[in-house]
Amino acid sequence: MFFHAPWVLCRVRGVGMSSLRVTAAEGAYQQGESITGLRREGRTVKATLHLMASSRQEMYRLRSELLGILSPERAFDGTNRARLIYENDFGRRWTWAVPESGLDWGERKQNAQPSLSLNFRCESPYWYGMTRQEAVFKARKAGFTLPMKTPLSLGSKVFVCRVSNGGNAGASAEIQISGAGESPALLNESTGKILRLVQPLPPGDTLRVDTDPARLQARILHADGSEENGFGLLSPESAVAGFGLQAGENRLRYIPDGDGSRSVIRVRWYDCWEGV
């Protein structure tokens, strides 16, 4: 969040770890309870602002301008979401957000509007890094190489690289496979989760898999520009919603289809934090 004169940011709440929903079971003669599950809730970020205008007319103009910025149509159109950016001395983080519960102007004092309350509803419990990270598996004429400055080891049929999620929480990923008539697989050895194709992806076609449970999808983009559902290409063992990067280092393995290694696999993610 960034405000400048005549807006003054007074305080922000709700940027730490999100609330947890705990489910538990109680057995006969049991003392206490048995926790059976934990679920992170979405968060509400509450900001308190002061508006210090040079005139009453300017104050009302700025109020109207702010209402336009907070218009729901600008925050959510059914597909795209607005981002709420928070910055402190440690860095900048963002999360998806929409304005909630209107805007409470509070009490006006001459040309000032002290203690305006803004609430943002955030569908994700996490905060994300500003830069999208990417790892690419791609074969070249001189041999299989990875254009990354990370420790790696290469074999004739199994290719491995280490990538890092610099946050403190697991990060969902977007996997893009450019077809070459092969059925490769991608394994995160650090988590044990795998994405495996059960039939060849034709040359010119691209499979895009979003593992974020809030946007879970697999789509095939054909060379002619048409699209179709791509879940049928993935094996039953593929844990789509569970495939991602754990906090810290992850060891990714690209498993080619037989002797072929012409498919290009891209892994994209944002470093992920529990709170800021």
Side-chain angles (χ1 to χ4, degrees), residues 35-230:
I35 294 178
T36 59
L38 299 173
R39 175 186 174 88
R40 294 173 178 84
E41 298 288 291
R43 68 173 72 242
T44 298
V45 175
K46 301 180 179 181
T48 302
L49 311 176
H50 297 327
L51 171 57
M52 309 292 186
S54 58
S55 67
R56 187 177 304 179
Q57 181 182 16
E58 178 67 2
M59 181 198 67
Y60 283 119
R61 186 191 70 79
L62 290 168
R63 281 178 35 162
S64 179
E65 183 180 81
L66 179 60
L67 291 174
I69 294 173
L70 297 176
S71 172
E73 285 77 12
R74 301 185 66 174
F76 175 73
D77 65 4
T79 303
N80 298 309
R81 271 59 163 188
R83 293 184 179 186
L84 182 66
I85 299 175
Y86 177 84
E87 181 176 358
N88 58 24
D89 293 340
F90 181 61
R92 303 178 76 199
R93 307 285 183 264
W94 66 270
T95 192
W96 310 110
V98 296
E100 184 183 42
S101 302
L103 176 60
D104 183 3
W105 292 115
E107 182 181 356
R108 179 180 63 82
K109 295 183 178 180
Q110 296 183 347
N111 303 333
Q113 195 81 60
S115 300
L116 300 177
S117 296
L118 281 175
N119 291 341
F120 296 94
R121 183 166 180 171
C122 307
E123 62 185 61
S124 172
Y126 302 112
W127 292 88
Y128 303 98
M130 298 300 297
T131 303
R132 196 180 198 185
Q133 310 295 329
E134 181 178 90
V136 182
F137 291 88
K138 183 177 183 181
R140 301 185 184 278
K141 291 182 179 180
F144 195 96
T145 62
L146 299 172
M148 302 161 53
K149 296 180 180 179
T150 56
L152 55 91
S153 59
L154 302 177
S156 59
K157 292 186 178 180
V158 176
F159 311 104
V160 176
C161 73
R162 295 181 178 89
V163 301
S164 178
N165 166 16
N168 57 22
S172 299
E174 179 186 294
I175 315 299
Q176 178 177 300
I177 303 176
S178 299
E182 303 167 344
S183 305
L186 181 66
L187 169 67
N188 187 336
E189 295 183 339
S190 301
T191 63
K193 304 300 183 181
I194 191 170
L195 292 178
R196 185 187 299 276
L197 272 63
V198 294
Q199 55 183 297
L201 183 62
D205 285 5
T206 300
L207 174 65
R208 293 177 180 170
V209 180
D210 191 340
T211 68
D212 186 340
R215 298 167 183 79
L216 192 66
Q217 65 173 343
R219 302 291 297 173
I220 302 173
L221 177 62
H222 296 294
D224 61 5
S226 61
E227 293 188 31
E228 66 173 302
N229 190 307

Side-chain angles (χ1 to χ4, degrees), residues 214-269:
R215 298 167 183 79
L216 192 66
Q217 65 173 343
R219 302 291 297 173
I220 302 173
L221 177 62
H222 296 294
D224 61 5
S226 61
E227 293 188 31
E228 66 173 302
N229 190 307
F231 280 105
L233 276 180
L234 299 172
S235 70
E237 65 179 319
S238 298
V240 180
F243 192 95
L245 303 180
Q246 67 180 11
E249 183 178 282
N250 293 258
R251 182 181 170 94
L252 299 181
R253 175 182 295 191
Y254 166 44
I255 307 173
D257 177 21
D259 294 328
S261 59
R262 294 170 297 171
S263 299
V264 178
I265 300 181
R266 299 178 183 273
V267 184
R268 301 185 177 107
W269 73 96

